Amino acid sequence: MAREQVTILGSTGSIGVSTLDVLARQPDRFDVYALTANTGADDLASQVMAVNPRFAVLRDADAATRLQNKLDEAGHTGTEVLAGEDNLCRVASDEVVDVVMAAIVGAAGLEPTLAAVNAGKKVLLANKEALVMAGRLFMEAVERSSAVLLPIDSEHNAIFQCLADGSLRDLPAQGVSKILLTGSGGPFREVPAEQLAEVTPDQACAHPNWSMGRKISVDSATMMNKGLELIEACWLFDTDADNITVVVHPQSIIHSMVEYIDGSVLAQLGNPDMRTPIAHALAWPERMPSGVGSLDIISQGRLDFQAPDEVKFPCLRLAREAAIRGGTAAASLNAANEVAVAAFLAGELPFPGIAQVIESVMQIVDVVEPDSLADVKFADRQAREAAETVLAARVEVR
Ligand code: NAD
Ligand code: MG
C-alpha cells in the first residue's frame, strides 16, 4: 500500500499531539506532510525535529521567523517554514496530501478545514466549530468534492461506529430511530448551582475524565460542548435535534449510542482516550492499534446515566434553540461562546456569565439563511461584536 501523506492542522494542541502519537506507531503507513500551529514556535520546532515534515506552518508571521531561526540553529534543513492563513489552506489542500486532521480550535479552523474538504481529502474532523458554523454549506462542500469526512469527536466517532453500513447519512434507511449523545457532565456536575459564580478557570479546565485544550475544557464545564456536539451531530448524520437525546454518563466509558427501530441499542465503549477515535478514523475502513489500553470493565464495575440539568447549564438549551432556529444562529452562538469563554479564561467574566452573554447575544443578532461563507463570516463577526458590547456593559454595571 502507498504511504499516506498526512497534514495535521493544529498539531501542537491536545488532538494534534495525540494524532502524532498514533502516527508514530505506524511508521510504515503514514508520512507527516505538514504540521501547523498558531503562535507556538517552540512546540512546533520540537515536533518538526521529531517527525521531519515537508512543511511547518505558523499562522503568525513573527512566530514563523522564530521557528525558522530555531530550526537553523539546530541544523534542521528538511522542512520548509511558511506563515499565514493562506498557507494553512495550502498544506490542507496540496495535491499530494491524502489525509487532513482538522484540529485547530474554534472558528479559526473553518477555512483551512474547508480547503481540505474542497480539495476532496480524507478529512478527520475534530474542529467541531467549523461544522457548527457553516453546517449546510460545509456538508454541501463535502458532497460536491467527494471528500471523505470522518468524525474525531469521540461521541460522533462512536455513533459512526454504531451505524451498520459505514455511512454517516440516511439514518432512517439504516433503521435508526434515535441517537443517544453521551457526555460526562463536566467537572461541575455535582457542584451546587449557587457555587458556580466562584469557580476558577483552572477548576473549569480540570476535566475528570478527558485531558483537552482549555477552550473545549470550559465548553465541557458549561455543557456548551454537548450543545455544539448536538449541532455537529445534526449536520453529520443529517438528522434533527429532536432525534438526539443527551445523556449524562459520568464515567465516559460509553462514548454514545444508536437506537434502532427494532429496539436494539448499540453503544461504543472504551477508555476515554482520543487516540481511539483518531486511530479508528486514520485506519478506516480497517483497524489499527492506537496505544490505548484495554478497557477493564470489571474494575469499572458500574456505568451511570442521568438527564442533563439545563437550568444549571443553560448553554445546552441555548445550543438546542440555535439548532432549531437554523440559518446563521449556530454561527452566532459559536462566536458568542468563543468571546465569552476567552473572557472567562482571562478572569474577566464569572462562569455563569458565559451563558448570560451568549443568551443576550442570541436575542440581539439577526439570523439569516447563509448563501455563502461570507454570510457565515458576517454572522460570526456580528455576534463577536455583540458579545464584546454585552461584556463591556457588564463591566460598567459593576
Ligand atoms: P488545543 O487548544 O489543545 O489546540 C489547538 C490547536 O490549534 C493548537 O495547535 C493551536 O496552535 C492551533 N490554533 C489555535 N488557534 C489558531 C489560529 N487562530 N490559527 C491557526 N491555528 C490555531 O485544542 P484541542 O483540545 O486539541 O482541540 C482542537 C479541536 O478539537 C477543537 O475544535 C475541539 O473542540 C476538538 N476536540 C478536542 C477534543 C480533545 O480531547 N482535546 C475532543 C473532541 C474534539
Ligand atoms: Mg466530544
Side-chain angles (χ1 to χ4, degrees):
M1 194 164 48
R3 301 166 66 80
E4 294 173 63
Q5 303 296 312
V6 183
T7 284
I8 306 178
L9 298 171
S11 64
T12 56
S14 163
I15 293 288
V17 168
S18 294
T19 305
L20 282 167
D21 180 284
V22 173
L23 291 173
R25 295 166 194 280
Q26 307 291 328
D28 299 333
R29 177 160 178 183
F30 300 102
D31 283 327
V32 179
Y33 178 75
L35 296 177
T36 85
N38 187 19
T39 56
D42 290 351
D43 288 348
L44 194 56
S46 320
Q47 292 185 339
V48 164
M49 287 189 265
V51 301
N52 193 26
R54 176 80 190 77
F55 293 101
V57 189
L58 282 155
R59 188 199 51 80
D60 179 75
D62 293 340
T65 307
R66 286 201 303 280
L67 173 63
Q68 184 69 65
N69 291 340
K70 279 184 175 299
L71 296 180
D72 290 347
E73 278 166 29
H76 180 94
T77 53
T79 302
E80 192 172 330
V81 175
L82 303 171
E85 192 172 43
D86 288 353
N87 282 315
L88 294 175
C89 294
R90 178 198 154 177
V91 296
S93 56
D94 271 347
E95 179 90 41
V96 299
V97 173
D98 302 298
V99 182
V100 175
M101 167 56 81
I104 292 174
V105 60
L110 176 59
E111 289 188 60
T113 303
L114 268 181
V117 166
N118 286 327
K121 304 303 183 194
K122 175 171 168 178
V123 179
L124 278 41
L125 185 72
N127 179 210
K128 68 192 86 186
E129 296 92 341
L131 185 53
V132 166
M133 288 173 75
R136 182 177 53 76
L137 297 172
F138 189 107
M139 294 310 288
E140 284 172 3
V142 171
E143 201 122 307
R144 233 184 357 255
S145 67
S146 309
V148 176
L149 184 66
L150 296 170
I152 293 298
D153 219 339
S154 56
E155 296 76 7
H156 307 71
N157 183 273
I159 294 161
F160 180 50
Q161 293 199 46
C162 294
L163 294 174
D165 76 356
S167 161
L168 295 169
R169 319 292 285 179
D170 304 322
L171 264 47
Q174 297 192 50
V176 170
S177 52
K178 75 175 181 197
I179 288 172
L180 298 152
L181 184 71
T182 56
S184 67
F188 304 142
R189 186 176 55 87
E190 299 211 288
V191 172
E194 57 280 8
Q195 285 173 23
L196 289 179
E198 311 304 325
V199 301
T200 65
D202 283 345
Q203 288 170 327
C205 291
H207 196 281
N209 307 338
W210 299 95
S211 147
M212 309 182 285
R214 284 174 81 77
K215 189 265 178 181
I216 183 180
S217 294
V218 176
D219 287 347
S220 296
T222 60
M223 291 200 74
M224 180 55 93
N225 185 47
K226 217 42 58 186
L228 296 176
E229 289 181 355
L230 175 79
I231 300 170
E232 181 186 15
C234 289
W235 289 116
L236 270 178
F237 303 111
D238 192 20
T239 190
D240 292 336
D242 290 353
N243 295 330
I244 303 175
T245 305
V246 174
V247 181
V248 173
H249 163 47
Q251 293 92 352
S252 300
I253 294 298
I254 290 181
H255 300 306
S256 277
M257 298 175 259
V258 172
E259 184 176 312
Y260 286 83
I261 47 177
D262 61 5
S264 300
V265 178
L266 269 55
Q268 186 261 358
L269 290 74
N271 288 321
D273 186 322
M274 290 305 293
R275 291 177 301 173
T276 294
I278 292 167
H280 171 263
L282 278 169
W284 187 83
E286 296 160 19
R287 295 269 177 178
M288 69 184 196
S290 64
V292 175
S294 168
L295 173 63
D296 185 351
I297 201 151
I298 290 177
S299 37
Q300 187 61 46
R302 56 184 277 181
L303 302 176
D304 296 305
F305 306 97
Q306 306 165 354
D309 182 345
E310 291 193 9
V311 176
K312 186 167 143 193
F313 298 109
C315 285
L316 184 54
R317 168 181 57 81
L318 292 168
R320 191 190 308 283
E321 287 168 4
I324 293 165
R325 252 170 113 181
T328 50
S332 302
L333 175 96
N334 177 67
N337 181 54
E338 287 189 22
V339 173
V341 170
F344 169 69
L345 283 172
E348 291 159 6
L349 181 69
F351 184 81
I354 298 174
Q356 290 160 5
V357 168
I358 299 165
E359 181 134 41
S360 302
V361 170
M362 294 311 288
Q363 285 163 0
I364 305 169
V365 292
D366 301 322
V367 170
V368 299
E369 192 52 44
D371 286 331
S372 66
L373 206 53
D375 292 344
V376 172
K377 284 162 73 175
F378 181 78
D380 174 271
R381 224 171 24 248
Q382 198 196 31
R384 278 172 206 273
E385 284 165 15
E388 296 292 357
T389 307
V390 172
L391 278 170
R394 287 180 66 105
V395 173
E396 266 172 39
V397 171
R398 265 197 283 156

